[in-house]
Amino acid sequence: MSKKRGTSLDDIAKSLGVSRALVSLVLNGKGESHGIAPHTREKVFERARELNYRPNQFARGLRLGKSSTLGLIVSDISNPFYSHISRYLEDLSEGNGYNLITCSSDENPEKEMRIIDMLKSRNVDGLIVSTSQNTPVPFLNLKAEGFPVVLIDRHFEGQNICSVTVENFEGAKNAVNHLLQMGYRSPVALAISPTHISTINNRIEGYKTALKEASLGARIFEVEFAKRNERVDSILEMLFVTNQFPDSIFAMNNALAASVLAKLRGMGISIPSEVGVVSFDNLDYFSIMHPGITAVAQPIKSICMAAFQLLTNQIDGMVHSTQNCIVSLPVDLIVRESTLLNRKF
Amino acid sequence: MSKKRGTSLDDIAKSLGVSRALVSLVLNGKGESHGIAPHTREKVFERARELNYRPNQFARGLRLGKSSTLGLIVSDISNPFYSHISRYLEDLSEGNGYNLITCSSDENPEKEMRIIDMLKSRNVDGLIVSTSQNTPVPFLNLKAEGFPVVLIDRHFEGQNICSVTVENFEGAKNAVNHLLQMGYRSPVALAISPTHISTINNRIEGYKTALKEASLGARIFEVEFAKRNERVDSILEMLFVTNQFPDSIFAMNNALAASVLAKLRGMGISIPSEVGVVSFDNLDYFSIMHPGITAVAQPIKSICMAAFQLLTNQIDGMVHSTQNCIVSLPVDLIVRESTLLNRKF
DNA sequence: AACGAGGTTTAAATCGTTTTAGTTTTCTAA
DNA sequence: TTAGAAAACTAAAACGATTTAAACCTCGTT
């Protein structure tokens, strides 16, 4: 039960009969510029290797005021969209000497704030967050105190807060237009609530616009994230028994799409002949299913690269205030069989 | 560009005209037992709130030698099995005052070692790892230096290293027996390599045993994780053109199952009439698909709870050396349509 | 012999907390 | 009155790394 602390700078210094300042200098590559003799440098490196020295990141962080750690906050890491985001960001972080701590907020604003606090007290150097706040204030505050943050997936209209989103409006509009082109006439939309989230809101607007341009009526149902399965079940049942069942469904995120597909299957309603389905967010299994599910795919890699870039720019103080830090990336409509009206599968 | 360091203990102490020792004591709930006057305690709490004090975890960690952070190493966080694990462990961690850093090793032993080193230098209090090492040595070393670790999903035969796994042998054997009961006669197995991994190895043995007991021949194909899609494609094509196509396929993990389903769909081979499919690992969409995919489901929550328990026991020094710390949990065969021979879907 | 100039190395402060061993003050009891 | 206990609080060391200013050599030069 020995509380072993690993080898410290001091251990190396003592064993070599030099000061720990010297060891620190050498190990940080500042040996040459500080005129440490090559021979001494060699010895230090060698001994460090022998003793398997790993700098204590606490001490380092305490002194330096930085942690080489980044924080990622998403609503749920077990959602494939976010787990892929997490994975890419992890790779980017590792490649650039950072570490990543990923946390799930469950779309809960208070929990999100608690996580932000905790991450700050852990001295993360910056934050990437898919926020569920309904006000930009917390992020304005962070910005005011010079704390690096970039929002992903969601942003605040008219606020100059760094963010990376996709063209939700255009993507949704395209998806609905595709339904209309295929001959569907009464697409219903399912949206995750709270709908104040920019992402959802923009998708709703895209849906509405497409229908308006075709002079068709819009029907939108809001679904609380946590109760999505039950809610989707009851909505679809209600529509069915009241004879208002749509000829197509636009699910505004992957979780809703999954709920819809499960329920449709349970009801024995077949896709796409009885109902067309299009999902915002692509999932691996959409291409495996029979029929395949038409979906709007987000460029996950690009999102991550952009967010990472924006964040490290802030951390390194490389921000030219002229530079736009609000990025919107294009999406891609992948047409599969779930929207081929009158086709049987 | 002010490098703001948040409010420190000293700030509170100074503003109140007391020592920082007192503030520390009070804020850690040790005020009473150290006989700090109730009135003083009040003031401290109040001022801490006013100044929005958050203890610097670096300083804290440096002093205490612990970080209240746990490390999780899996092969790929974007794999649904692991992202669920990560999520549950995150919840458990949060509920117990810990934080969780999740890292992906890509089944790469060297990368895994680098991650372990890095996590140690970040002073994590313990590690949960789904290892890809082919030798127990690294973990024996950790154990020797008293560093808390528990393995999940994989373990080392005959070594007394804490681990939580499932009954891979029985699960695989049951799955294959189920195929045989349904009338399938030539099930082929697809295994992820390297097969030295206990989990895979046990599943292979389960498959072999079931077939041997039925006096049937075994055919096993190893598939490298990174190239699974191409490999599965070529294996299935080869079997097809050489007229050796099996009447059923046992995919030994979720990634392989996905590859198999994708390829079968591409080849136009229908499930379960032309080929039966059973997967080790259940996926959300297996119940949504048509036909649904029969799968061996692992008790993810139980795995996490057991692993977390074992780990915190070690951290808190609560390990009675008599106590067994090798846990094996039962699995559950979920029968769906993909194994109903002669049924058409 | 003294000086200065490089070339090497080090002492010491610092980051923010925790904790031990006190110290100071007040109070009680003889 | 004063020893001694009790109550309230504090000084200072420690954790391990970084960094700045300064010290120490060793020469060659005057």
Side-chain angles (χ1 to χ4, degrees):
Chain A
M1 211 48 57
S2 63
K3 47 167 67 183
K4 263 236 196 64
R5 299 215 178 213
T7 32
S8 71
L9 267 193
D10 233 17
D11 296 336
I12 300 182
K14 286 224 181 73
S15 93
L16 241 34
V18 298
S19 72
R20 63 173 177 285
L22 184 151
V23 178
S24 170
L25 257 9
V26 170
L27 258 20
N28 285 313
K30 302 181 183 167
E32 178 135 33
S33 58
H34 272 254
I36 309 291
H39 172 242
T40 315
R41 273 186 269 154
E42 264 317 314
K43 282 196 305 179
V44 170
F45 280 124
E46 193 180 334
R47 187 55 53 88
R49 208 174 316 109
E50 280 171 23
L51 299 182
N52 191 34
Y53 170 72
R54 307 281 161 210
N56 180 319
Q57 298 298 332
F58 281 159
R60 196 151 202 283
L62 179 56
R63 174 66 223 242
L64 259 25
K66 54 186 300 236
S67 60
S68 300
T69 301
L70 267 20
L72 169 67
I73 306 178
V74 298
S75 59
D76 181 6
I77 183 62
S78 66
N79 176 315
F81 176 66
Y82 291 122
S83 72
H84 280 98
I85 295 243
S86 175
R87 181 59 211 272
Y88 284 129
L89 285 176
E90 191 193 314
D91 289 348
L92 285 168
S93 299
E94 199 207 338
N96 291 71
Y98 286 101
N99 269 98
L100 185 71
I101 303 186
T102 304
C103 300
S104 302
S105 70
D106 287 314
E107 300 283 1
N108 178 335
E110 290 88 48
K111 186 171 177 191
E112 184 183 316
M113 288 312 297
R114 283 206 310 277
I115 295 174
I116 291 179
D117 265 354
M118 167 253 125
L119 254 12
K120 279 181 66 184
S121 87
R122 282 194 144 60
N123 298 70
V124 296
D125 298 336
L127 240 29
I128 296 180
V129 12
S130 169
T131 185
S132 27
Q133 303 299 324
N134 51 20
T135 137
V137 176
F139 298 100
L140 260 9
N141 288 341
L142 288 175
K143 191 174 176 183
E145 60 182 274
F147 194 89
V149 194
V150 5
L151 302 180
I152 53 170
D153 195 33
R154 300 161 187 198
H155 78 131
F156 294 103
E157 204 60 55
Q159 304 291 158
N160 190 28
I161 301 174
C162 267
S163 65
V164 179
T165 51
V166 298
E167 295 179 345
N168 287 298
F169 176 86
E170 293 79 359
K173 191 176 158 194
N174 278 351
V176 177
N177 275 336
H178 165 70
L179 284 175
L180 301 180
Q181 276 159 24
M182 299 311 287
Y184 292 102
R185 276 293 162 268
S186 60
V188 145
L190 294 178
I192 217 80
S193 73
T195 49
H196 64 71
I197 290 170
S198 67
T199 307
I200 302 300
N201 191 36
N202 292 343
R203 291 178 194 173
I204 290 177
E205 290 306 318
Y207 163 81
K208 282 185 182 166
T209 303
L211 287 188
K212 177 174 285 176
E213 287 179 5
S215 306
L216 292 171
R219 282 186 291 169
I220 300 166
F221 295 91
E222 293 184 15
V223 177
E224 189 188 336
F225 182 79
K227 301 176 187 158
R228 58 192 182 280
N229 282 319
E230 302 79 45
R231 266 289 277 163
V232 166
D233 283 6
S234 65
I235 290 170
L236 294 187
E237 276 164 22
M238 181 276 286
L239 288 171
F240 192 80
V241 299
T242 59
N243 241 357
Q244 303 179 297
F245 210 76
D247 65 3
S248 50
I249 299 176
F250 175 33
M252 292 202 185
N253 79 1
N254 63 27
L256 282 178
S259 301
V260 166
L261 293 174
K263 184 57 180 173
L264 288 178
R265 181 164 186 217
M267 296 171 82
I269 295 178
S270 66
I271 306 170
S273 55
E274 297 184 77
V275 66
V277 173
V278 57
S279 160
F280 205 114
D281 281 351
N282 189 26
L283 285 177
D284 292 339
Y285 66 85
F286 283 175
S287 63
I288 295 178
M289 289 186 70
H290 198 69
I293 307 298
T294 297
V296 179
Q298 301 196 43
I300 297 189
K301 267 190 184 168
S302 307
I303 293 174
C304 292
M305 291 191 322
F308 190 82
Q309 187 63 253
L310 287 178
L311 190 64
T312 48
N313 279 353
Q314 285 183 55
I315 293 173
D316 301 339
M318 304 268 297
V319 272
H320 317 308
S321 54
T322 60
Q323 159 186 334
N324 183 13
C325 78
I326 301 203
V327 175
S328 182
L329 269 14
V331 294
D332 194 19
L333 180 67
I334 302 177
V335 177
R336 300 198 181 90
E337 298 92 2
S338 70
T339 48
L340 304 186
L341 182 56
N342 298 328
R343 219 76 81 83
K344 188 125 182 81
F345 287 92
Chain B
M1 211 47 57
S2 62
K3 46 167 66 186
K4 263 232 196 66
R5 298 215 179 213
T7 33
S8 70
L9 267 192
D10 233 16
D11 296 336
I12 300 182
K14 286 223 182 74
S15 92
L16 241 33
V18 297
S19 72
R20 61 175 180 284
L22 184 151
V23 179
S24 170
L25 257 7
V26 171
L27 259 19
N28 284 314
K30 302 182 181 166
E32 179 137 32
S33 59
H34 272 253
I36 309 293
H39 172 243
T40 315
R41 274 186 267 153
E42 265 318 312
K43 283 196 304 181
V44 170
F45 280 124
E46 195 180 332
R47 186 56 51 90
R49 209 174 315 109
E50 281 171 24
L51 299 182
N52 191 33
Y53 170 74
R54 308 278 162 212
N56 180 318
Q57 298 299 331
F58 280 160
R60 198 152 203 282
L62 178 57
R63 174 64 224 239
L64 258 26
K66 54 187 300 239
S67 60
S68 300
T69 301
L70 267 20
L72 169 66
I73 306 178
V74 299
S75 59
D76 181 7
I77 182 63
S78 65
N79 176 315
F81 176 66
Y82 291 122
S83 73
H84 280 99
I85 295 243
S86 176
R87 181 59 210 271
Y88 284 129
L89 284 176
E90 192 194 314
D91 289 348
L92 285 168
S93 299
E94 199 206 339
N96 291 70
Y98 286 102
N99 269 98
L100 186 70
I101 303 186
T102 303
C103 301
S104 302
S105 68
D106 287 314
E107 301 283 0
N108 177 334
E110 290 89 47
K111 186 170 177 193
E112 183 182 317
M113 287 312 297
R114 284 205 310 275
I115 295 174
I116 292 179
D117 265 355
M118 167 252 125
L119 254 12
K120 279 182 66 182
S121 87
R122 282 195 145 59
N123 300 69
V124 296
D125 298 336
L127 240 29
I128 295 180
V129 11
S130 169
T131 185
S132 26
Q133 303 298 324
N134 51 18
T135 136
V137 176
F139 298 100
L140 260 8
N141 288 342
L142 287 175
K143 191 173 175 182
E145 61 182 274
F147 194 89
V149 195
V150 5
L151 302 180
I152 54 169
D153 195 34
R154 300 162 186 197
H155 78 130
F156 294 103
E157 203 63 52
Q159 304 291 157
N160 189 28
I161 300 174
C162 267
S163 65
V164 180
T165 52
V166 298
E167 295 179 344
N168 287 298
F169 176 85
E170 293 79 359
K173 191 177 160 196
N174 278 350
V176 176
N177 275 335
H178 165 70
L179 284 175
L180 301 181
Q181 276 158 25
M182 300 310 286
Y184 293 102
R185 276 292 162 268
S186 60
V188 144
L190 294 178
I192 217 79
S193 74
T195 48
H196 64 71
I197 291 171
S198 67
T199 307
I200 302 301
N201 192 37
N202 293 343
R203 292 178 193 173
I204 290 178
E205 289 307 317
Y207 164 82
K208 282 186 185 166
T209 304
L211 287 187
K212 177 174 286 176
E213 288 179 5
S215 307
L216 292 171
R219 283 186 289 169
I220 299 166
F221 294 90
E222 293 184 16
V223 177
E224 190 189 335
F225 182 78
K227 301 178 187 156
R228 58 190 181 282
N229 281 321
E230 302 79 42
R231 265 290 274 165
V232 166
D233 283 5
S234 65
I235 290 170
L236 293 186
E237 277 164 22
M238 181 275 286
L239 288 171
F240 192 80
V241 301
T242 58
N243 240 359
Q244 303 179 296
F245 210 75
D247 65 2
S248 49
I249 299 175
F250 176 32
M252 292 204 186
N253 80 1
N254 64 26
L256 282 178
S259 302
V260 166
L261 293 174
K263 184 57 179 173
L264 288 178
R265 181 165 184 214
M267 295 171 82
I269 295 178
S270 66
I271 307 169
S273 56
E274 296 182 78
V275 67
V277 173
V278 57
S279 161
F280 206 114
D281 280 352
N282 189 26
L283 286 176
D284 291 340
Y285 67 85
F286 283 175
S287 63
I288 296 178
M289 290 187 70
H290 198 68
I293 307 298
T294 297
V296 179
Q298 301 196 42
I300 297 188
K301 268 190 185 170
S302 307
I303 293 174
C304 291
M305 292 190 322
F308 190 81
Q309 187 65 251
L310 288 177
L311 190 64
T312 48
N313 279 353
Q314 285 183 56
I315 292 173
D316 301 338
M318 304 268 297
V319 271
H320 317 307
S321 55
T322 60
Q323 160 187 332
N324 184 12
C325 78
I326 301 202
V327 175
S328 182
L329 268 14
V331 294
D332 194 18
L333 180 68
I334 301 178
V335 177
R336 300 200 181 90
E337 298 91 5
S338 71
T339 48
L340 303 187
L341 183 56
N342 298 327
R343 220 76 80 83
K344 187 126 184 83
F345 287 92

